[in-house]
Amino acid sequence: MNYAVKPVTENEILNEPWNFTCAILVMPGGADLGYCQALNGKGSRHIKQYVEQGGSYLGFCAGAYYGSGRCEFEAKSKNLGVVGNRELAFFPGTCRGLAFPGFAYNSDIGARAAELRVSKPEMSPGPVPMVFRSYYNGGGVFVDASRYYDKGIEVLAEYTEYLEVDGGDGNAAVIYCKVGDGGAILCNTHPEFDAAKLDHDSKVPGFNKIVEALEDDNTKGRNFLRACLSRLGLAVNPENTTPLALSKLHLSSAIPSGVTKVVESLQEIITERDGLSILEGGNDAFYLEQQSAGSIEESLDTMDNSGEDRADESRHPSNSFLDLDESVSRIKLHYKAPPTSEETPDFSHQLFYENLQSYNEQEERNNEVFGNYLLYGNVVTSTSTLLEKNTKLLSYLPLGFTATAARQTTGRGRGSNVWVSPPGSLMFSIAIRRPIQTQAPVIFLQYVAALAIVQGIKTYGPGYEKLPIKLKWPNDIYAPTSNSKTYVKIGGILVNCHYTSSEILAVVGIGLNTTNAAPTTCLNALNPPAPFTLEKLLARILVTFSALYKKFSRSGFDKSLHDMYYEHWLHSDQIVTLENEGGVRAKIKGITTDWGLLIAEEVGWQDRPTGRKFELQSDSNSFDFMKGLICRKGQKGKGS
């Protein structure tokens, strides 16, 4: 997994620095006129500049009309007609539709399985079909596309059937456009549609035949789309990649009787259904695997000699609750010993607990360390979601309870961001319980977590203290690329909180590129004395977090923690531009001691301070310190 798919809004395209991290901008079908109304001017300039500077654009149907120099859609129709020039003009000519008659908005009445002949079979090293059928509903044809070859236009696929409108020289359905240092592919059909997900029972006459035709060519369409993405420079998964399936969870503990203690604390949210013990987490239900129905004090040994799960049909009748509700996850309770390597081949619990104990003894932490209770899954949605969304479960978990996984399908970042979770990334979340009345504001948890990561890396072993790991405010972990000139993000932190009358329940989610070089770089690419292992690094960070959290709970984010934070951060006296303050230039001076806001001091001639200061909060601003840019998301920061 090299990319995260993130929906973006009109506001984000207009006002956020999305272009610095975007691998490809996909403009879907819909209504091209709506795109124009929302994005003409500033939005179009941002998109075009992004592509010209090396970005990629993929437009389907309406996105193809929008990416052309001129749109002619049902030009003779009073009700549907849309005609006019377009600002992006990746294809400098006209996209003219309808290629086939019968279109109606929000309907499949004009849909068809349009046959396309691929013109550039050499555009990908993989299997590219010569001819395939693709879902069509309202697309056009690129008029005289072949005549624009000298302007960087290549025809990738043409319609094979008679068209309703004049396509000029050829019937170009899909084209590639060279745009500055980047490129765009405009596609008048929908090869991204999965035929299996189309409505077989549609009341539109003949639509079931269309679906059947598309199903026959589904693999060909997917291969064509894969070739298009490769043509735009993206790394594409192999053809036989299978979707990840969520796995069983494993609960274990470093403390004797630790699992028993956790399960006993959960009694109020455990119910019996069809003889099975079900944990009602709040958002999810979990089946507790156990040795005998109704018992929660013994582990269930379902492993055969090969290490594969055995199904006990006598305890899982065909009409049982589990068969009726596939949304119930499984948690195997490991009372006597942690999971074996056969059960969790991508994570060695033995190695983790050995290092947890070793680091714990070095720090003289006794049994107060985070990670004493561990929930592991080979594939989960998100460790953060697993804890944070299940508020009933969270309210009973002990301080420092940790969830980790080898793979995440929907990793989360700050705001609407997502976290790409390839193999080799260390992903875990920690449950924190704090009294409402405390001198240490919860906002500083993200800073404590960031310090725990950096300090944990640098105290992994002798020689690791020299690794160039830095903090980007407020809580991102950065490291240099191979050329040592550019720092890139390798880790991030997400803190979510729930409040009761007496305490704060927080989940600190952490993701850290450890052995995976993509999508940016990783710890092992920094030439450490010896390669990091996920299990040992997790133990080191958790023990460090325990010590820092204890100090934080006792005296807040005091001067010593501030100084430690500044020691590792990237921004001392950095000059940035505050875009939404009229392009004011300001020097970063630190963070406030009360709420952790970023302090920026305006500078004038020769970078001398003017006396005007700004206090900025992370949730109201977008930051690209590598570009010296701070953009306002919504409310204004506090100025003086």
Side-chain angles (χ1 to χ4, degrees):
M1 183 187 298
N2 297 303
Y3 310 101
V5 179
K6 173 189 173 185
V8 292
T9 63
E10 163 196 347
N11 180 65
E12 287 174 290
I13 290 178
L14 291 172
N15 300 313
E16 304 253 347
W18 55 270
N19 50 307
F20 297 128
T21 57
C22 180
I24 184 170
L25 178 64
V26 179
M27 197 66 71
D32 135 274
L33 195 58
Y35 298 153
C36 295
Q37 292 169 346
L39 300 173
N40 271 358
K42 184 179 180 181
S44 296
R45 288 195 301 273
H46 283 185
I47 295 172
K48 195 162 189 175
Q49 183 181 52
Y50 156 71
V51 179
E52 289 174 342
Q53 294 178 350
S56 298
Y57 175 99
L58 178 58
F60 295 109
C61 201
Y65 283 114
Y66 176 63
S68 300
R70 181 174 176 80
C71 169
E72 294 182 2
F73 180 84
E74 287 282 75
K76 298 179 180 180
S77 171
K78 293 183 179 180
N79 296 324
L80 294 178
V82 177
V83 178
N85 294 334
R86 297 293 180 259
E87 294 180 349
L88 291 183
F90 296 141
F91 171 57
T94 297
C95 184
R96 180 178 294 156
L98 298 168
F100 302 101
F103 173 79
Y105 282 106
N106 302 314
S107 171
D108 287 317
I109 195 169
R112 67 190 292 134
E115 187 177 79
L116 304 182
R117 178 181 295 109
V118 178
S119 306
K120 285 281 184 180
E122 73 278 7
M123 65 181 177
S124 171
V128 180
M130 293 300 295
V131 177
F132 73 101
R133 288 164 293 185
S134 182
Y135 179 90
Y136 168 92
N137 194 4
V141 58
F142 299 107
V143 180
D144 292 327
S146 60
R147 298 184 180 181
Y148 290 91
Y149 182 79
D150 61 342
K151 295 185 177 182
I153 306 301
E154 301 175 30
V155 177
L156 301 183
E158 295 183 297
Y159 297 110
T160 64
E161 303 161 279
Y162 174 79
L163 302 186
E164 185 75 5
V165 294
D166 182 10
D169 185 7
N171 293 327
V174 187
I175 58 174
Y176 170 81
C177 314
K178 178 64 176 172
V179 185
D181 292 331
I185 287 181
L186 309 180
C187 183
N188 278 302
T189 66
H190 290 278
E192 82 279 13
F193 279 19
D194 185 347
K197 296 181 180 179
L198 296 176
D199 186 5
H200 289 69
D201 300 321
S202 171
K203 296 181 180 180
V204 174
F207 189 71
N208 61 324
K209 297 294 184 182
I210 294 173
V211 174
E212 290 175 5
L214 294 173
E215 286 180 328
D216 289 342
D217 284 4
N218 209 35
T219 299
K220 293 180 179 179
R222 189 180 301 114
N223 287 338
F224 178 76
L225 179 60
R226 184 179 286 108
C228 288
L229 294 173
S230 295
R231 183 70 174 82
L232 289 171
L234 274 73
V236 181
N237 287 335
E239 181 183 1
N240 59 355
T241 300
T242 56
L244 292 173
L246 300 182
S247 65
K248 179 191 300 183
L249 303 172
H250 298 266
L251 178 61
S252 59
S253 176
I255 302 173
S257 302
V259 173
T260 299
K261 179 181 176 181
V262 171
V263 175
E264 287 177 347
S265 72
L266 299 173
Q267 283 300 299
E268 291 188 15
I269 57 173
I270 295 176
T271 59
E272 296 295 321
R273 301 186 189 181
D274 296 337
L276 305 174
S277 296
I278 304 298
L279 171 66
E280 298 288 356
N283 185 69
D284 301 309
F286 303 91
Y287 161 53
L288 302 180
E289 284 195 1
Q290 48 204 0
Q291 194 162 35
S292 59
S295 171
I296 58 173
E297 296 181 354
E298 297 175 335
S299 62
L300 171 66
D301 182 10
T302 60
M303 307 300 297
D304 62 18
N305 293 332
S306 66
E308 297 179 352
D309 290 339
R310 292 199 308 262
D312 186 344
E313 296 180 0
S314 64
R315 294 194 302 109
H316 300 284
S318 60
N319 62 348
S320 73
F321 173 78
L322 286 180
D323 291 315
L324 296 175
D325 189 351
E326 296 179 354
S327 66
V328 178
S329 302
R330 291 171 177 254
I331 300 178
K332 183 172 181 180
L333 307 175
H334 294 266
Y335 291 102
K336 300 175 181 178
T340 64
S341 58
E342 288 81 9
E343 292 176 281
T344 59
D346 295 322
F347 186 87
S348 170
H349 284 75
Q350 179 179 353
L351 181 60
F352 167 73
Y353 284 122
E354 285 177 353
N355 281 283
L356 190 74
Q357 180 180 356
S358 175
Y359 286 130
N360 191 24
E361 291 172 351
Q362 292 176 26
E363 300 286 337
E364 298 182 353
R365 293 288 105 200
N366 298 320
N367 288 325
E368 301 173 4
V369 70
F370 290 1
N372 274 337
Y373 307 95
L374 188 71
L375 184 67
Y376 170 83
N378 187 52
V379 181
V380 303
T381 53
S382 158
T383 61
S384 181
T385 299
L386 194 63
L387 299 184
E388 190 259 328
K389 295 299 182 183
N390 287 290
T391 52
K392 288 184 180 180
L393 172 63
L394 180 62
S395 65
Y396 289 99
L397 295 178
L399 174 66
F401 184 98
T402 302
T404 188
R407 298 292 298 271
Q408 292 184 146
T409 60
T410 53
R412 300 161 61 194
R414 282 199 312 119
S416 60
N417 294 333
V418 292
W419 180 258
V420 180
S421 307
S425 179
L426 178 59
M427 300 159 287
F428 62 103
S429 295
I430 307 165
I432 302 289
R433 314 176 70 96
R434 296 182 56 74
I436 287 288
Q437 300 297 330
T438 176
Q439 64 173 332
V442 72
I443 188 69
F444 283 103
L445 261 182
Q446 60 184 327
Y447 298 95
V448 177
L451 280 175
I453 296 171
V454 176
Q455 294 283 67
I457 293 169
K458 289 178 176 288
T459 59
Y460 185 84
Y464 290 83
E465 68 278 0
K466 299 178 181 179
L467 293 181
I469 305 299
K470 296 292 183 181
L471 291 173
K472 175 189 162 191
W473 185 84
N475 55 24
D476 287 336
I477 313 302
Y478 270 59
T481 55
S482 56
N483 60 22
S484 299
K485 295 180 180 180
T486 304
Y487 272 79
V488 294
K489 182 175 179 177
I490 64 166
I493 300 163
L494 176 67
V495 180
N496 287 290
C497 296
H498 297 278
Y499 297 84
T500 70
S501 58
S502 60
E503 66 178 350
I504 301 169
L505 301 174
V507 175
V508 180
I510 294 171
L512 183 63
N513 294 346
T514 306
T515 67
N516 54 301
T520 55
T521 189
C522 66
L523 292 177
N524 278 351
L526 302 177
N527 297 316
F532 286 91
T533 64
L534 298 179
E535 297 88 346
K536 184 176 179 180
L537 182 58
L538 176 59
R540 176 70 271 186
I541 292 174
L542 288 172
V543 172
T544 305
F545 201 167
S546 295
L548 291 172
Y549 181 77
K550 184 175 182 180
K551 175 178 174 58
F552 170 65
S553 298
R554 183 174 59 249
S555 55
F557 204 77
D558 59 14
K559 185 179 184 302
S560 64
L561 290 178
H562 267 85
D563 291 344
M564 191 184 302
Y565 186 82
Y566 292 146
E567 178 185 347
H568 300 298
W569 84 331
L570 286 163
H571 313 303
S572 295
D573 292 330
Q574 181 181 0
I575 302 294
V576 297
T577 300
L578 307 183
E579 272 204 345
N580 285 55
E581 296 293 343
V584 166
R585 297 177 73 250
K587 182 180 291 186
I588 302 301
K589 302 303 294 182
I591 57 176
T592 64
T593 58
D594 51 1
W595 299 109
L597 304 180
L598 185 70
I599 304 171
E601 184 179 73
E602 184 183 33
V603 294
W605 185 67
Q606 293 186 339
D607 292 340
R608 294 178 179 176
T610 66
R612 188 183 182 197
K613 293 183 179 180
F614 300 87
E615 294 180 2
L616 307 171
Q617 54 182 314
S618 59
D619 288 340
S620 297
N621 299 275
S622 291
F623 303 90
D624 196 318
F625 282 111
M626 302 301 105
K627 300 292 183 180
L629 180 70
I630 301 181
C631 303
R632 185 79 65 212
K633 281 184 181 177
Q635 68 186 64
K636 295 198 172 189
K638 186 168 68 176
S640 59

